[in-house]
């Protein structure tokens, strides 16, 4: 019996392929994935079983007082097919329970409705993740003291009931409003404290999101929780309760994600007695936002290594501290760095001597973003940041460095020269140059200088495409004859949203890159021009000069997103 190469692939690889083509939930691919999933449900038993298990891996339960009903859905199931009312509980890996009205939690109606449903008695033994959210905040009213006390009991019983459905859960994600209401202050405090405590019992991966008002009593009590390994927190409050929880788990934390940095972040690094806190197991630290915080002077800075095993540091805001506290004595362990650069960071780096030659030799990925757009800076400041980016990349470039992401660099010629005349960067696999504009000939030069490049992200200029003085319509044939192959390993190209080129110019550039890069089959536009980009490629393929290369360009047209 004939077996295709696809059928003979290892099952581990086959599962990854099926998961990608049938269960992709990205907005651009979701419709296509659902059609593919329907087709795969009619294939052989092993394929069908895997696709069904993937489609049933998430299960959403909604408690809605307005309709006095509990409903359940499979969010990954194709809309074209009727979903099973209750899949095999052994297939569900993530259970999400949403309470549609906040007031139904407080007055007990959510508990009453849910307790009467058959779903509340179901045990999802294979589920490793539980997500609990409260959606609508309308309808909140004042409560008497007796009603507040009953509300606390309602929330405790509801939390116990939800938690009992996933006895083997390892991760709990909580999301709800942090409303402050005079009549409900005690009820909210009781709900938060009791719900978080009951839902987090025995769990070591925790995600907590609050949204809404700015006033609320403490909601996370760190006492009794000292072994959390993964902690993610998002709140607009001063987060002393959060920093207390992080300190309590400083020995066990492996990953710490801070979506909104506390207004007084010293609580992360020093306890109430001003004693240094060391996160001895922490490998990943992510800081998304730190509004109004920069150059913070800490109580102690001498030789204390707070993060001795840090492997990944990602800061997507201005660096909040006035010294090297996040990068101190961990250059031998860090593999990924993302830091926005500005005048203050440059001064701090010069003072602390963070990025010196021969440090960070284990770096695999470096992302340095010029942050001068956030403040007025002189051209000298901007130039010093540009030079700093190249010096750091050169000094860190070793056999491990594979990914470079630079953003906002001001000098196009300097950037191009640095990429094409730096032997230490020739082994890169991914180069992302956001807000950096190049013409087509410069992209060809970059591909020649970095022969192992697999992924390229850049902005395309609106100049007429030209290489060696040859322009369209002769350029495609010229590239094939004189420059093929360039970028042998290139498989993905993305045009940044800052591109000045028209959709037609981007489509032409993508097709010509395909003609000289034998592995390139995927091109995308990081803007809202997806439909126009796809159409432009289709139109260009139907006529000269690209018509005769249609057989090579078809995969590109089918893979655009």
């Amino acid at each position: 019996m004939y077996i295709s190469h696809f059928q003979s692939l290892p099952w581990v690889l086959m599962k990854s392929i099926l998961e990608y083509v049938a269960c992709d939930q990205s907005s651009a691919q979701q419709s296509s994935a659902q059609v593919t999933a329907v087709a795969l449900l009619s294939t052989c038993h092993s394929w069908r079983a895997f696709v069904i298990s993937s489609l049933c891996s998430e299960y959403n339960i909604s408690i809605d007082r307005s309709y006095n009903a509990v409903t359940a859905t499979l969010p990954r199931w194709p809309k074209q097919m009727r979903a099973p009312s209750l899949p095999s509980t052994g297939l569900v890996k993530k259970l999400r329970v949403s309470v549609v009205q906040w007031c139904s939690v407080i007055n007990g109606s959510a508990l009453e409705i849910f307790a009467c449903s058959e779903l509340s008695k179901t045990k999802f033994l294979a589920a490793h993740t539980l997500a609990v959210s409260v959606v609508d905040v309308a309808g909140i009213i004042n409560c008497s003291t007796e009603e507040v006390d009953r509300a606390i009991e309602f929330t405790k019983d509801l939390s116990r009931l939800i938690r009992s459905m996933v006895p083997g859960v390892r991760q709990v994600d909580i999301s709800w409003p942090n409303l402050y209401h005079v009549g409900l202050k005690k009820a909210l405090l009781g709900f938060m404290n009791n719900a978080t405590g009951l839902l987090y019992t025995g769990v070591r991966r925790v995600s907590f999101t609050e949204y809404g008002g700015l006033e609320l009593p403490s909601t996370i009590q760190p006492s009794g929780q000292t072994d959390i390994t993964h902690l993610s927190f998002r709140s607009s409050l001063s987060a002393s309760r959060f920093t207390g929880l992080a300190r309590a788990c400083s020995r066990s934390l492996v990953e710490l994600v801070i979506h909104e940095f506390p207004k007084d972040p010293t609580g992360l690094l020093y306890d109430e007695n001003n004693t240094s806190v060391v996160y001895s197991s922490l490998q990943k630290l992510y800081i998304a936002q730190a509004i109004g915080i920069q150059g913070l002077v800490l109580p102690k800075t001498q030789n204390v290594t707070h993060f001795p095993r840090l492997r990944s540091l990602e800061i997507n805001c201005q660096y909040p501290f006035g010294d090297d506290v996040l990068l101190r004595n961990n250059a031998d362990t860090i593999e990924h760095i993302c830091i926005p650069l500005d005048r203050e960071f440059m001064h701090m780096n010069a003072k602390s001597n963070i990025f010196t030659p021969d440090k960070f030799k284990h770096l695999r990925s470096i992302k340095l973003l010029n942050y001068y757009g956030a403040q007025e800076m002189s051209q000298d400041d901007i130039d010093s940041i540009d030079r700093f980016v190249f010096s750091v990349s050169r000094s860190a470039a070793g056999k491990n460095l594979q990914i470079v992401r630079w953003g906002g660099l001001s000098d196009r010629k300097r950037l191009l020269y640095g990429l094409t005349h730096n032997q230490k960067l020739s082994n890169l696999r991914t180069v992302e140059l956001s807000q950096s504009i190049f013409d087509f000939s410069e992209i060809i030069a970059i591909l020649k200088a970095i022969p192992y490049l697999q992924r390229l992200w850049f902005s395309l200029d609106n100049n007429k495409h030209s290489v060696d003085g040859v322009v369209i319509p002769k350029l495609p044939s010229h590239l094939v004859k004189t420059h093929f192959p360039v970028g042998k390993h290139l498989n993905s190209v993305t045009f940044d949203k800052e591109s000045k080129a028209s959709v037609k110019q981007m489509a032409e550039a993508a097709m010509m890159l395909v003609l000289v890069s034998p592995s390139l089959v995927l091109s995308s536009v990081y803007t809202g021009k997806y439909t126009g980009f796809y159409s432009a490629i289709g139109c260009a393929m139907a006529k000269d000069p690209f018509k005769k290369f249609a057989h090579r360009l078809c995969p590109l047209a089918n893979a655009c997103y």
Side-chain angles (χ1 to χ4, degrees):
M1 181 179 66
Y2 172 76
I3 298 178
S4 71
H5 293 300
F6 187 71
Q7 289 172 303
S8 62
L9 290 173
W11 180 238
V12 173
L13 182 57
M14 279 293 303
K15 290 200 297 185
S16 299
I17 295 172
L18 291 173
E19 175 78 14
Y20 176 78
V21 300
C23 306
D24 191 349
Q25 296 298 300
S26 63
S27 58
Q29 298 285 2
Q30 189 171 13
S31 176
S32 174
Q34 291 199 347
V35 173
T36 306
V38 172
L40 288 172
L41 289 174
S42 301
T43 57
C44 66
H45 171 74
S46 58
W47 287 20
R48 183 170 65 252
F50 175 75
V51 172
I52 288 176
S53 66
S54 297
L55 296 175
C56 296
S57 61
E58 295 184 20
Y59 196 57
N60 291 356
I61 296 175
S62 177
I63 307 170
D64 192 341
R65 188 194 65 166
S66 300
Y67 298 98
N68 198 35
V70 176
T71 58
T73 58
L74 291 166
R76 307 182 83 181
W77 194 268
K79 296 178 181 178
Q80 300 93 324
M81 297 184 65
R82 182 177 179 181
S85 56
L86 179 61
S88 170
T89 56
L91 298 179
V92 177
K93 302 299 188 292
K94 179 177 182 178
L95 177 67
R96 179 181 297 277
V97 180
S98 301
V99 183
V100 177
Q101 295 90 5
W102 174 272
C103 58
S104 67
V105 177
I106 302 299
N107 63 25
S109 58
L111 172 63
E112 181 182 359
I113 295 169
F114 192 46
C116 293
S117 72
E118 290 298 317
L119 279 173
S120 67
K121 304 174 180 64
T122 306
K123 305 296 182 185
F124 296 89
L125 301 178
H128 52 67
T129 301
L130 171 65
V132 180
S133 62
V134 179
V135 184
D136 187 12
V137 299
I140 294 180
I141 57 175
N142 284 306
C143 296
S144 65
T145 302
E146 293 78 10
E147 289 172 326
V148 167
D149 292 336
R150 285 200 301 272
I152 294 175
E153 293 304 312
F154 290 148
T155 56
K156 290 168 65 177
D157 291 342
L158 180 60
S159 299
R160 288 194 190 97
L161 186 57
I162 294 173
R163 185 65 174 78
S164 69
M165 299 170 66
V166 283
V169 70
R170 299 192 298 271
Q171 176 172 332
V172 173
D173 304 326
I174 297 178
S175 174
W176 47 46
N178 56 17
L179 291 176
Y180 173 81
H181 192 287
V182 175
L184 290 177
K185 182 175 180 179
K186 184 179 178 182
L188 290 172
L189 176 59
F191 175 79
M192 295 293 190
N193 284 341
N194 287 290
T196 53
L198 289 166
L199 292 172
Y200 287 161
T201 301
V203 176
R204 304 189 70 185
R205 291 173 175 254
V206 172
S207 171
F208 190 86
T209 300
E210 293 179 325
Y211 56 92
L214 297 176
E215 296 182 78
L216 188 71
S218 176
T219 61
I220 297 180
Q221 301 300 321
S223 58
Q225 295 174 313
T226 60
D227 60 351
I228 290 175
T229 59
H230 294 68
L231 176 59
S232 173
F233 187 85
R234 183 192 301 270
S235 176
S236 54
L237 305 173
S238 60
S240 58
R241 63 256 171 80
F242 158 66
T243 54
L245 178 60
R247 288 200 310 269
C249 301
S250 60
R251 294 184 179 181
S252 61
L253 272 177
V254 175
E255 179 174 313
L256 179 58
V257 177
I258 308 172
H259 291 279
E260 295 185 38
F261 212 53
K263 294 181 179 178
D264 183 12
T266 55
L268 276 174
L269 306 176
Y270 299 92
D271 63 17
E272 298 87 347
N273 300 318
N274 210 21
T275 302
S276 299
V277 178
V278 176
Y279 293 83
S280 55
S281 302
L282 194 70
Q283 296 182 18
K284 178 179 179 180
L285 176 60
Y286 174 88
I287 302 173
Q289 191 175 29
I291 299 176
I293 305 173
Q294 192 176 24
L296 187 68
V297 179
L298 298 173
K300 296 180 182 179
T301 58
Q302 65 273 17
N303 299 322
V304 177
T305 304
H306 295 275
F307 307 101
R309 296 185 180 177
L310 197 63
R311 297 175 63 182
S312 175
L313 174 64
E314 186 162 351
I315 305 175
N316 284 329
C317 57
Q318 291 173 286
Y319 186 86
F321 296 105
D323 61 16
D324 62 343
V325 62
L326 300 181
L327 288 158
R328 187 180 302 152
N329 299 329
N330 49 26
D332 291 335
T333 64
I334 287 186
E335 298 176 359
H336 168 71
I337 292 179
C338 170
I339 297 180
L341 308 176
D342 57 14
R343 184 193 298 115
E344 281 70 22
F345 179 85
M346 297 294 291
H347 292 167
M348 185 274 293
N349 172 68
K351 180 179 66 176
S352 302
N353 242 353
I354 300 175
F355 293 99
T356 56
D358 300 322
K359 290 181 69 174
F360 299 101
K361 284 300 182 182
H362 297 284
L363 265 184
R364 297 177 60 85
S365 171
I366 185 168
K367 183 177 182 180
L368 300 173
L369 305 179
N370 196 331
Y371 212 65
Y372 61 81
Q375 55 186 257
E376 291 186 6
M377 296 180 68
S378 67
Q379 188 59 46
D380 288 341
D381 289 328
I382 295 172
D383 289 343
S384 68
I385 288 179
D386 287 358
R387 289 192 295 270
F388 172 75
V389 168
F390 282 110
S391 66
V392 170
S393 300
R394 282 196 302 269
S395 64
K399 62 181 179 180
N400 296 306
L401 186 64
Q402 295 186 1
I403 301 173
V404 167
R405 295 181 173 94
W406 298 330
L409 300 191
S410 60
D411 193 311
R412 170 175 172 169
K413 291 183 178 179
R414 181 187 296 142
L415 178 54
L416 180 63
Y417 184 86
L419 284 170
T420 56
H421 291 77
N422 189 344
Q423 186 64 31
K424 287 189 174 182
L425 298 179
S426 62
N427 291 322
L428 291 176
R429 302 300 192 268
T430 296
V431 172
E432 295 186 7
L433 308 168
S434 61
Q435 304 175 37
S436 299
I437 301 177
F438 300 94
D439 62 32
F440 186 76
S441 64
E442 292 168 336
I443 294 303
I444 295 296
I446 291 172
L447 292 178
K448 287 183 176 181
I450 311 177
Y452 299 103
L453 194 63
Q454 297 174 4
R455 173 177 169 78
L456 178 62
W457 181 310
F458 67 99
S459 297
L460 184 65
D461 208 341
N462 58 359
N463 297 337
K464 182 181 292 187
H465 298 319
S466 172
V467 177
D468 303 330
V470 181
V471 298
I472 293 176
K474 295 182 179 181
L475 183 55
S477 296
H478 173 75
L479 289 170
V480 172
K481 290 179 181 178
T482 62
H483 290 276
F484 180 88
V486 172
K488 291 182 181 180
H489 304 277
L490 187 69
N491 56 50
S492 175
V493 169
T494 300
F495 298 100
D496 190 63
K497 61 184 178 181
E498 300 296 328
S499 294
K500 295 181 179 179
S502 66
V503 173
K504 179 183 177 182
Q505 287 176 313
M506 287 189 285
E508 291 173 343
M511 289 187 288
M512 288 188 292
L513 287 174
V514 167
L515 296 180
V516 294
S517 304
S519 299
L520 181 58
V521 294
L522 182 63
S523 181
S524 59
V525 182
Y526 191 63
T527 67
K529 301 177 181 178
Y530 155 70
T531 304
F533 184 58
Y534 181 89
S535 301
I537 289 179
C539 292
M541 285 174 51
K543 54 188 178 182
D544 292 331
F546 295 101
K547 185 177 181 179
K548 64 181 179 180
F549 300 109
H551 64 287
R552 176 69 181 93
L553 298 173
C554 278
L556 172 66
N558 294 331
C560 287
Y561 65 94

